[in-house]
Amino acid sequence: MIKLFSLFIFIGLTHIFLAQTAPTFEKFSGKLVYSVTITDTSLLALIPPREMVIYTNDTLIRIENETDQLGKQVIIKHLILNKSYLLLSTPINNYAIQTDHNDGKEIKYPYSFTTKRGKRKIAGMKAKKLMVSHENFESPVEFLFLPNYSPKYINTLENFPGLPVLYYISSVDGTYEYRLISMEQNTPEHDLFGIPSDFKRVTFDDFLNEMLQYQQQSEGIEFEHE
C-alpha cells in the first residue's frame, strides 16, 4: 500500500508562488547538483545521502529527487506561466499532477533571515551568509547563497536574496542539509521539460481520489483472502 503522507508534504512545497526574477540576477541555463543529507547522524543508516538534480533554461525548470517511499519524483515548472507538474509513478498509473500558482493568494514564506558578514567557498565559488529562522529550528541557522543568481530554482526559498547553495529543509523525518556540489552552465535538452506521453495529467484532487480508491480496493482484496 502506498504511503501518501510524505507525498502530501512534498507536493505542498510546490504550491508556493514562484517569485519573478530580479533584474540584477544573471540568467542561468544549465545543471545544478545538490547533495541531500539528514542532519541527525543516527538516522544515516535508515536515510542514506542522495542527490537533487536541477535542470533549467531560465524559463523552464526540472527538479529530480529520489525518495525512499515513492521512488523518483520529478517537478516540471514553467516560471512565466506559474504552473508546475509533479511526475510520479505508482502501481496503478504514471501521473503528471498539475499545480497552478497564479491564484492571487498572499505569499507566506516559512523562512525569515538576516544577512551576515563574511563569505565561504562552496563548489569552488564564494558564497554570502544568511542567518535563517524557521519555526522548527531551535535557533537561527547559517545558510549560504550566491547573490548573482536568482533563488527561483529552489522550492520554498524564492524570497531569498540569491541562489541558496547551502540550506536546510525541515520535514517529518527531520532536517535535511542541501549542499551544492556542482554548477554547470549549458543548454539542457528541451525534452527534459516535457510531460511524457505515458503520464496521465490530473489535478491534485483527482490524483488523491484515484489513490484512495486504489487503497480501498486493495484493503478489500486483502480482507477477502483472510
Side-chain angles (χ1 to χ4, degrees):
M1 185 179 298
I2 295 178
K3 298 180 180 179
L4 294 178
F5 185 71
S6 294
L7 175 64
F8 300 157
I9 299 297
F10 185 78
I11 294 177
L13 295 179
T14 70
H15 282 66
I16 297 180
F17 183 84
L18 304 177
Q20 298 296 321
T21 305
T24 56
F25 293 139
E26 298 178 19
K27 289 185 177 182
F28 176 73
S29 177
K31 179 181 178 181
L32 302 166
V33 181
Y34 288 78
S35 64
V36 184
T37 309
I38 190 77
T39 57
D40 186 343
T41 55
S42 66
L43 296 176
L44 284 175
L46 298 174
I47 309 175
R50 53 184 183 267
E51 291 184 347
M52 177 178 72
V53 182
I54 301 173
Y55 299 91
T56 181
N57 61 9
D58 207 60
T59 298
L60 297 166
I61 298 175
R62 176 188 177 96
I63 304 175
E64 299 179 355
N65 278 285
E66 194 72 28
T67 67
D68 297 325
Q69 292 182 348
L70 297 165
K72 187 176 182 179
Q73 295 179 338
V74 176
I75 296 177
I76 306 293
K77 293 182 178 181
H78 196 301
L79 295 176
I80 296 177
L81 298 180
N82 290 327
K83 291 185 177 181
S84 69
Y85 284 92
L86 171 64
L87 306 186
L88 189 65
S89 296
T90 76
I92 59 174
N93 217 330
N94 295 325
Y95 291 99
I97 305 168
Q98 182 177 353
T99 302
D100 294 333
H101 303 273
N102 55 355
D103 53 12
K105 292 181 180 179
E106 182 183 356
I107 305 170
K108 294 183 179 180
Y109 292 106
Y111 298 90
S112 59
F113 56 83
T114 57
T115 57
K116 182 181 178 182
R117 296 186 65 180
K119 296 182 179 180
R120 283 175 55 190
K121 266 197 171 184
I122 188 165
M125 297 173 286
K126 290 184 178 180
K128 290 188 174 183
K129 300 178 180 180
L130 289 175
M131 294 307 297
V132 179
S133 298
H134 185 279
E135 61 180 10
N136 293 337
F137 295 165
E138 293 183 1
S139 58
V141 178
E142 183 178 275
F143 284 30
L144 301 178
F145 72 99
L146 299 178
N148 293 338
Y149 297 99
S150 172
K152 66 185 180 181
Y153 314 114
I154 306 296
N155 275 341
T156 77
L157 304 179
E158 294 94 336
N159 65 325
F160 274 45
L163 174 66
V165 291
L166 175 64
Y167 63 96
Y168 299 85
I169 297 293
S170 179
S171 77
V172 292
D173 298 322
T175 299
Y176 287 88
E177 178 196 88
Y178 288 72
R179 179 184 294 267
L180 182 71
I181 56 179
S182 67
M183 184 175 185
E184 178 182 348
Q185 298 205 33
N186 56 36
T187 303
E189 295 184 7
H190 193 71
D191 289 347
L192 284 171
F193 308 108
I195 307 299
S197 58
D198 60 339
F199 277 69
K200 181 180 179 181
R201 301 190 188 212
V202 295
T203 65
F204 180 60
D205 289 341
D206 289 340
F207 169 75
L208 288 183
N209 289 334
E210 291 194 21
M211 295 308 299
L212 290 173
Q213 289 177 9
Y214 170 74
Q215 287 191 346
Q216 290 171 357
Q217 292 171 359
S218 299
E219 290 171 355
I221 294 173
E222 292 174 0
F223 178 79
E224 292 173 359
H225 281 77
E226 290 181 357

